Amino acid sequence: MPEDEPGLVRAAQAGDRAALQELMARYVPLVYGLVGRAVSRPADVDDVTQEVLLALVSGLPGLEHPAGFRSWLVAVTTQHIDDHFRRQATEPLLTAAPSEPFQSFEDLAVLRLDLQGQERHLVRAGQWLDQEHRALLALWWEESAGRITRAEIAAALEVGEAHTAVRLQRMREQLEQCRVAVAALEREPLCSGLSAVVEGWRGETNPLWRKRITKHVRTCVVCLREAEEQLPIARLIAGLQVLPLPAALVAALVRKGVLAPEAEPIAAAALLPDEPEVGAWATVKWAGRVATVAGAAAVLLFVSGFLYDVSQPPTIRAEKPVGTAALSASLASPTPSPATSPSAVPAAARSNAAATSKSTATSKSTAPSKARTDGCAREDIPDRTWPAWTMPNSGENLPDQQRYTVRDNGTVLDEITCLTWQRETPSQRYTFAAAQKYCSKLTLADANWTLPTRVQLTSIVDTTRSGPAINPKAFPDTPVSFFWTSSPWATPHDPAYAWIVNFYEGLASNAADQSGEFAVRCVQSPKGSGTVQYEVSGQQVKDPMTGLTWQRGTSEEMPSSEAEAYCAGLDGGKWRLPGVQELATLVDESLVGPAINREAFPSTPARGWYWAANRAAAEQNSRWALNYDDGYTNYRNLKTGVVRCVR
């Protein structure tokens, strides 16, 4: 929640009309998104959205805790959606007129955002869900996008968070089935077997046809090909933001005083074109018209979850940093603010900063220092780059398992990396720039805090858990949401993107517009710069910073069930399958396609899943994998992958 929001709520409760309209403008997109994905039919979506907003306005004076406004809003919206479903069950079903141009909220999203490929399949899959699951999808979608929390979902459903997680998981399983079915239905030409199944189908999205279609798709080799390269749903949702508000709805809210127009009156005809336009350009023009309403600019977020066209050959970038600023933010913790006192910097960090590194770094000793009661010594670690430490692991039968010491001063020491973490998660969400500023000004435990890099934040993911995927004793009450990293994405893009990590399951994604708002957890660490100086010897590569030695080449394609045996059979059993967090240490964030040092690892495919030893906590039959396309991770719908062993 923004810092000024409780004050804004109190002002609105006291009768400040401008404060009320500003508060409503902030949350109209959230309400519209929740209602739209649950209710679907555009006319009903508009009606229920207005009902919710009017209920919020009338009920606001009775809200006892202004800081709980958003949680209350989500609960009120969920209640009105349930009321709509109950009314619908007692009313005769009305079929859409043949001339009706849009049949669902999803149709509007596909048209207005010009969705293609996997984004299109995901949005259309929502139409196939059971009614109960549609409402759950609406809530989970907003959580995945970072706009509400798991606790707020549980409160709206009036159940505990554990029960909420179970219900959401069931919804996601059905959504995955529907997603594959939609992809198969849009395949050209249609599979002959599926063609026979859908003979006589008129396009209805009901449970009977879902059952028939998914039954075929699950066992059809041709149809399943459409699912082989599917990205994780959460990764797509992070990019697929809200649909701009319909002009008619905006005009109705202005007339009712819920939203404030700008200087000139709002006319629906001025906001929505007479004839629907197709394509991204139409979306831009339409969205620009809606933006004439005060506060509506908040809904104009980027419209594509894909940061580059995965159907085209990847961009091969030069083996050098994208730029000084990008490299500094990506490869190192940012330098402390000039306002930070030098005395606040740990002695180990100052000694590292004074060290001069050689062209080939030496591997660090992991022996604890007798001078430090917490067991961490960093004096022998060169001030070169991240990670200049052993990567902690969180899967079974892996070395260097995560270990933490909880301190009385509100911090947590990672005993493997010697990084110090902020224990509590701030309740507020931040933009990328605001997150960096928040950490730089954090005064907890002698200051010197920074926003963690992608690899630093990855180090505290606990792959043996989900909802949240983090040690609950060391980091209690961690929200099940995306967290910012300081690592920007390699490929220049307008707007700029950065890496985020989802602590529901541990997914690392780059699909975050830097203007979006996500959670933050700050870190204390020595600074670093430069690139890893790998030591290549024959067909193995040593990383002196982590102490790991890697197989230089890449295996043939294989199912996950064969990956561990492949490594165990190399060189008399001296090799093993790496953890997904260990694989992440090889990612070079200044590159894409592949995002890895190509001199040290020349055979790395531009796109290809590398199996990890970790099982997915949410789906124990699935194995985590990392794709060096740019370094994102996944565990769902992966059939085959390749292997790079480690020791």
Side-chain angles (χ1 to χ4, degrees):
M1 172 180 286
E3 293 179 356
D4 66 331
E5 195 157 284
L8 197 63
V9 172
R10 284 190 287 269
Q13 289 177 314
D16 187 329
R17 187 178 185 82
L20 174 64
Q21 291 176 330
E22 181 180 346
L23 188 65
M24 291 298 105
R26 289 184 182 184
Y27 284 106
V28 170
L30 174 59
V31 173
Y32 181 66
L34 286 170
V35 174
R37 289 190 178 86
V39 174
S40 188
R41 188 171 180 270
D44 293 339
V45 173
D46 290 2
D47 289 345
V48 176
T49 299
Q50 291 186 62
E51 290 175 7
V52 171
L53 293 170
L54 292 174
L56 292 172
V57 171
S58 62
L60 187 60
L63 181 64
E64 296 182 0
H65 304 290
F69 174 78
R70 190 176 68 186
S71 181
W72 173 63
L73 176 146
V74 173
V76 170
T77 304
T78 302
Q79 182 60 54
H80 275 76
I81 290 170
D82 290 342
D83 290 345
H84 169 76
F85 287 149
R86 281 192 288 270
R87 290 196 304 266
Q88 194 178 48
T90 62
E91 296 174 355
L93 181 64
L94 299 178
T95 57
S99 60
E100 187 176 349
F102 306 119
Q103 296 181 351
S104 70
F105 177 88
E106 292 80 6
D107 291 328
L108 278 170
V110 168
L111 175 65
R112 294 302 179 191
L113 301 183
D114 192 28
L115 299 183
Q116 304 295 329
Q118 294 189 45
E119 297 117 319
R120 177 189 178 97
H121 298 160
L122 173 59
V123 170
R124 290 217 179 277
Q127 295 175 278
W128 287 90
L129 295 179
D130 292 335
Q131 180 175 289
E132 176 191 4
H133 285 161
R134 287 184 61 86
L136 290 171
L137 172 64
L139 292 164
W140 183 66
W141 192 292
E142 298 301 325
E143 180 198 12
S144 297
R147 290 186 285 270
I148 64 176
T149 66
R150 178 60 58 88
E152 289 168 342
I153 295 177
L157 298 177
E158 298 182 339
V159 298
E161 289 194 37
H163 189 191
T164 299
V166 172
R167 292 180 62 181
L168 291 177
Q169 181 59 30
R170 290 172 181 166
M171 177 276 297
R172 291 179 60 191
E173 290 171 357
Q174 189 176 93
L175 182 63
E176 285 288 1
Q177 294 177 3
C178 297
R179 185 182 173 201
V180 176
V182 169
L185 287 169
E186 295 195 358
R187 182 181 181 273
E188 294 182 359
L190 200 65
C191 160
S192 60
L194 182 58
S195 181
V197 170
V198 299
E199 185 176 356
W201 177 51
R202 296 181 297 175
E204 313 97 296
T205 54
N206 57 43
L208 176 60
W209 278 106
R210 183 187 69 228
K211 183 177 180 180
R212 291 175 178 174
I213 293 169
T214 56
K215 181 179 180 181
H216 166 81
V217 170
R218 284 197 300 267
T219 58
C220 176
V221 175
V222 176
C223 292
L224 285 176
R225 287 176 187 164
E226 305 302 318
E228 288 179 354
E229 295 298 325
Q230 283 189 336
L231 297 174
I233 291 177
R235 175 178 165 88
L236 293 174
I237 289 178
L240 278 171
Q241 303 290 340
V242 294
L243 180 69
L245 300 177
L249 174 60
V250 171
L253 295 175
V254 170
R255 287 194 301 271
K256 294 177 180 179
V258 177
L259 291 178
E262 288 192 339
E264 299 180 1
I266 302 298
L271 296 175
L272 190 64
D274 294 332
E275 297 295 332
E277 297 181 81
V278 179
W281 177 240
T283 302
V284 173
K285 290 194 289 183
W286 183 79
R289 292 168 182 146
V290 177
T292 58
V293 179
V299 306
L300 303 179
L301 304 178
F302 72 99
V303 300
S304 175
F306 288 112
L307 307 186
Y308 51 95
D309 186 357
V310 297
S311 68
Q312 299 297 323
T315 303
I316 304 298
R317 301 180 59 80
E319 193 74 34
K320 61 182 180 181
V322 175
T324 303
L327 179 67
S328 175
S330 177
L331 295 185
S333 298
T335 302
S337 167
T340 303
S341 169
S343 63
V345 181
R350 294 197 297 271
S351 66
N352 282 341
T356 302
S357 61
K358 300 179 181 180
S359 58
T360 301
T362 58
S363 57
K364 77 179 187 73
S365 168
T366 57
S369 168
K370 296 180 180 179
R372 300 266 312 255
T373 58
D374 56 25
C376 270
R378 301 194 63 93
E379 285 76 6
D380 56 342
I381 301 175
D383 181 26
R384 287 291 298 169
T385 187
W386 56 260
W389 26 260
T390 300
M391 171 59 81
N393 283 306
S394 55
E396 294 183 3
N397 302 319
L398 288 171
D400 304 306
Q401 290 287 307
Q402 293 175 335
R403 297 196 307 273
Y404 302 103
T405 296
V406 177
R407 293 165 165 169
D408 294 335
N409 61 0
T411 68
V412 177
L413 174 70
D414 185 325
E415 297 180 12
I416 305 296
T417 66
C418 294
L419 300 176
T420 297
W421 292 91
Q422 178 185 18
R423 191 181 190 208
E424 301 295 334
T425 306
S427 59
Q428 184 175 340
R429 305 299 175 92
Y430 298 86
T431 64
F432 182 69
Q436 293 178 311
K437 182 178 180 180
Y438 166 80
C439 288
S440 69
K441 294 185 176 297
L442 185 62
T443 58
L444 176 70
D446 298 325
N448 192 40
W449 294 93
T450 61
L451 190 65
T453 63
R454 176 194 60 87
V455 79
Q456 287 173 336
L457 194 58
T458 296
S459 73
I460 60 172
V461 170
D462 187 343
T463 61
T464 67
R465 307 174 190 271
S466 64
I470 196 170
N471 186 301
K473 293 183 179 179
F475 303 100
D477 302 319
T478 296
V480 182
S481 61
F482 281 103
F483 280 69
W484 278 119
T485 79
S486 64
S487 302
W489 193 52
T491 299
H493 198 283
D494 186 14
Y497 295 106
W499 283 88
I500 51 177
V501 175
N502 187 351
F503 275 86
Y504 167 69
E505 53 198 354
L507 176 78
S509 171
N510 59 29
D513 182 337
Q514 292 185 13
S515 65
E517 295 185 346
F518 298 103
V520 175
R521 171 167 276 123
C522 306
V523 68
Q524 286 180 337
S525 70
K527 66 178 182 177
S529 61
T531 57
V532 178
Q533 303 298 306
Y534 293 109
E535 300 171 3
V536 180
S537 177
Q539 291 304 306
Q540 63 184 38
V541 179
K542 182 176 182 179
D543 182 347
M545 310 305 282
T546 63
L548 296 174
T549 297
W550 294 89
Q551 182 185 17
R552 193 180 191 198
T554 296
S555 75
E556 299 293 330
E557 290 270 342
M558 65 180 69
S560 63
S561 58
E562 299 176 8
E564 290 183 335
Y566 168 81
C567 289
L570 289 179
D571 196 17
K574 296 180 179 179
W575 298 84
R576 61 176 173 85
L577 193 62
V580 68
Q581 289 150 300
E582 291 175 322
L583 284 170
T585 66
L586 295 182
V587 174
D588 185 335
E589 293 169 2
S590 68
L591 304 171
V592 294
I596 195 170
N597 185 302
R598 296 168 193 139
E599 293 183 4
F601 303 98
S603 65
T604 303
R607 292 190 183 92
W609 291 104
Y610 278 79
W611 291 123
N614 316 71
R615 296 287 180 179
E619 296 182 14
Q620 282 296 311
N621 291 329
S622 299
R623 188 184 293 278
W624 276 99
L626 183 143
N627 196 313
Y628 284 103
D629 180 12
D630 60 2
Y632 67 95
T633 55
N634 184 24
Y635 63 85
R636 301 182 70 88
N637 300 318
L638 302 181
K639 305 302 180 184
T640 62
V642 294
V643 175
R644 172 169 284 129
C645 305
V646 72
R647 65 183 188 190

